[in-house]
Amino acid sequence: MPNLPFTTALAFFATLFTTSGAENWPGWRGPRGDGSANAPNLPVEWSVESDVRWKVELPGKGHSSPIIWEDRIFVVTGIEESSERILQCLDRTSGKEIWRKTVLKSPFEGIHRLNSRASSTPSTDGELVFVSFLDGENMFIAAYDFEGTQIWTKRPGVFSSKHGYCSSPILWNDKVIINGDHDGNAYLVALDRKTGETIWKTDRPNKTRSYCTPIIRRIGGRNQMILSGSKSVASFDPDTGRQHWVMDGPTEQFVASLVYNGKYLFLTCGFPERHMMAIRPDGSGNVTDSAIVWRTTKGASYVPSPVAIGDYFLVVADNGVASCFAAESGERLWQDRLISTSGLSPKHSASMLAANGLAYFLSDSGVMTVVKPGPNLEIVGQSFLGEETYASPAVYGDHLFIRGDKHLYCIGK
């Protein structure tokens, strides 16, 4: 939980919790942007035969996560036959479609084989839903109300990458903030939630594609929006776009979001070199020589985002090798390839969940492995969806929401 001023914290919690006491899942990696869920009875082990509350077929293809606000689920997808990008609204309790809107109809961009044309997770403030796609050479951002009415659309800048597009919007006060790191004149941009007009736009110097979604925390008396990309790790003021500090490298391209345990930031990346490190989130200017607490190059992930749980930092590499580190020292306590059964790929694309002191890993082959962090590997549950999964899961109350290659599942007692 970020260290927020009291009045800001009250507003923060008011947006997260419903009258039922469940926590909304309003954007990429949930309410805190780090995969952590306040879900005391989240399933540790489940069966498709007995614990799937509902399952609905989704049109097209997309790797974005579902987002949830009270009784509504929002999900985006790309329809290859018609070159449409779709926003769907579903009923959380039944999975029934409430409405479906075509956000954009435009020729599909070229993508990496592990990407999709709907990889950016939407975000919502409980009044509007914000979606992000690529329209030709331009980033395309749109806002819809909960009844499916389009409120505004904007193209805040160009975006060029041979791997395709993914930039999940995040919300801060009156702003929608989007990462425009790409192979060109890269930028970060903040749009007005109500109108879509540009509030600030900050240049990114190294003009290199990355896909990291920022996190925002109150650290050292400053609001810090922190992300990796543009051959660096950097912190910005989300109100103004001004840079607090920057650390050079440690590599060229980034996908996974950072996490914060209240003391250190934790990074895993990337391409062409892979690194994991703990970073001090203080200082000003260039902090390359002072920010790094520990670093390792073994077991890092490129795509899946990690979790920080208590004294531990956990990560799963794209090849399925999971690791648990002592957060303070960087000592690797264990590593193991999460192979569940013969014939299933151990590869991982989805980002991790953390709930009730446990770490949830979801493989591309639809195997969810739940681990208790500690000095030794302790698997407390393993479940099989029976469908490929590339999207990161979402949580509401005591239910898991998993987007498979063809279906969206609601899982729980």
Side-chain angles (χ1 to χ4, degrees):
M1 173 67 206
N3 180 20
L4 299 172
F6 179 70
T7 55
T8 308
L10 288 178
F12 182 84
F13 277 112
T15 66
L16 300 186
F17 292 95
T18 69
T19 54
S20 67
E23 190 177 40
N24 288 313
W25 199 264
W28 168 243
R29 303 206 76 198
R32 288 161 289 278
D34 61 1
S36 63
N38 186 355
N41 298 306
L42 195 66
V44 171
E45 202 161 38
W46 42 267
S47 162
V48 169
E49 289 74 23
S50 60
D51 297 317
V52 171
R53 184 169 176 178
W54 52 256
K55 166 187 171 183
V56 296
E57 186 174 2
L58 297 176
K61 182 178 180 180
H63 293 171
S64 63
S65 299
I67 64 169
I68 306 165
W69 192 277
E70 296 183 357
D71 286 336
R72 300 213 170 186
I73 298 175
F74 300 96
V75 64
V76 294
T77 192
I79 310 295
E80 186 170 350
E81 296 78 11
S82 58
S83 297
E84 290 178 276
R85 284 73 158 183
I86 300 293
L87 171 63
Q88 280 182 285
C89 177
L90 308 176
D91 179 80
R92 178 182 57 81
T93 59
S94 66
K96 181 181 179 181
E97 182 177 89
I98 299 174
W99 50 258
R100 179 189 303 196
K101 300 293 179 180
T102 297
V103 177
L104 175 67
K105 191 170 184 179
S106 176
F108 276 177
E109 67 272 17
I111 58 172
H112 188 278
R113 62 183 178 82
L114 294 179
N115 200 358
S116 75
R117 276 79 176 206
S119 291
S120 306
T121 296
S123 61
T124 183
D125 57 6
E127 296 180 0
L128 298 177
V129 182
F130 306 93
V131 295
S132 173
F133 297 104
L134 190 65
D135 180 14
E137 296 180 348
N138 296 293
M139 182 185 288
F140 182 89
I141 312 299
Y144 284 77
D145 67 18
F146 273 34
E147 302 308 312
T149 302
Q150 188 181 88
I151 304 302
W152 54 257
T153 65
K154 294 293 177 181
R155 293 170 176 82
V158 298
F159 190 98
S160 175
S161 169
K162 66 179 182 179
H163 294 328
Y165 181 74
C166 178
S167 187
S168 300
I170 62 170
L171 304 182
W172 173 258
N173 293 334
D174 60 342
K175 301 169 186 67
V176 184
I177 301 175
I178 307 104
N179 177 11
D181 280 341
H182 73 106
D183 295 333
N185 293 321
Y187 52 89
L188 304 173
V189 63
L191 308 179
D192 185 277
R193 284 199 205 188
K194 301 298 184 184
T195 67
E197 296 301 317
T198 298
I199 297 174
W200 57 255
K201 193 172 185 179
T202 297
D203 290 340
R204 298 276 275 164
N206 291 314
K207 301 180 181 180
T208 302
R209 62 186 175 273
S210 279
Y211 304 94
C212 178
T213 303
I215 60 170
I216 299 178
R217 296 292 187 270
R218 180 78 176 175
I219 306 172
R222 300 179 294 185
N223 296 321
Q224 298 198 43
M225 182 180 73
I226 307 150
L227 76 159
S228 53
S230 195
K231 300 181 180 179
S232 65
V233 182
S235 168
F236 298 84
D237 183 338
D239 289 308
T240 65
R242 289 193 295 266
Q243 184 176 281
H244 292 307
W245 53 261
V246 63
M247 187 190 79
D248 298 333
T251 192
E252 180 181 306
Q253 295 172 34
F254 304 81
V255 176
S257 297
L258 284 80
V259 292
Y260 179 61
N261 72 348
K263 184 176 183 180
Y264 299 139
L265 294 163
F266 297 94
L267 165 79
T268 180
C269 61
F271 181 87
E273 297 177 351
R274 301 202 174 186
H275 297 261
M276 280 186 290
M277 56 179 60
I279 301 168
R280 295 185 187 89
D282 52 16
S284 297
N286 193 302
V287 298
T288 304
D289 295 332
S290 61
I292 299 173
V293 180
W294 56 260
R295 180 206 303 254
T296 182
T297 59
K298 296 180 179 180
S301 75
Y302 181 25
V303 174
S305 298
V307 291
I309 302 176
D311 295 330
Y312 305 102
F313 168 65
L314 295 100
V315 64
V316 60
D318 305 54
N319 64 5
V321 175
S323 301
C324 180
F325 294 85
E328 183 69 28
S329 67
E331 177 189 1
R332 187 195 307 274
L333 303 174
W334 54 259
Q335 72 172 39
D336 195 80
R337 189 181 298 275
L338 297 176
I339 297 176
S340 54
T341 186
S342 61
L344 293 178
S345 170
K347 292 182 178 180
H348 283 63
S349 299
S351 294
M352 297 172 61
L353 285 177
N356 307 316
L358 302 175
Y360 287 67
F361 302 80
L362 180 63
S363 76
D364 294 359
S365 54
V367 179
M368 178 165 275
T369 304
V370 183
V371 169
K372 182 178 180 180
N376 301 296
L377 173 60
E378 182 181 348
I379 295 176
V380 298
Q382 197 165 64
S383 307
F384 306 86
L385 190 67
E387 186 171 333
E388 292 183 349
T389 50
Y390 300 97
S392 301
V395 173
Y396 186 93
D398 300 331
H399 293 89
L400 282 163
F401 294 82
I402 299 178
R403 179 180 190 163
D405 188 48
K406 302 293 184 183
H407 301 86
L408 179 64
Y409 296 78
C410 174
I411 298 170
K413 298 297 182 182

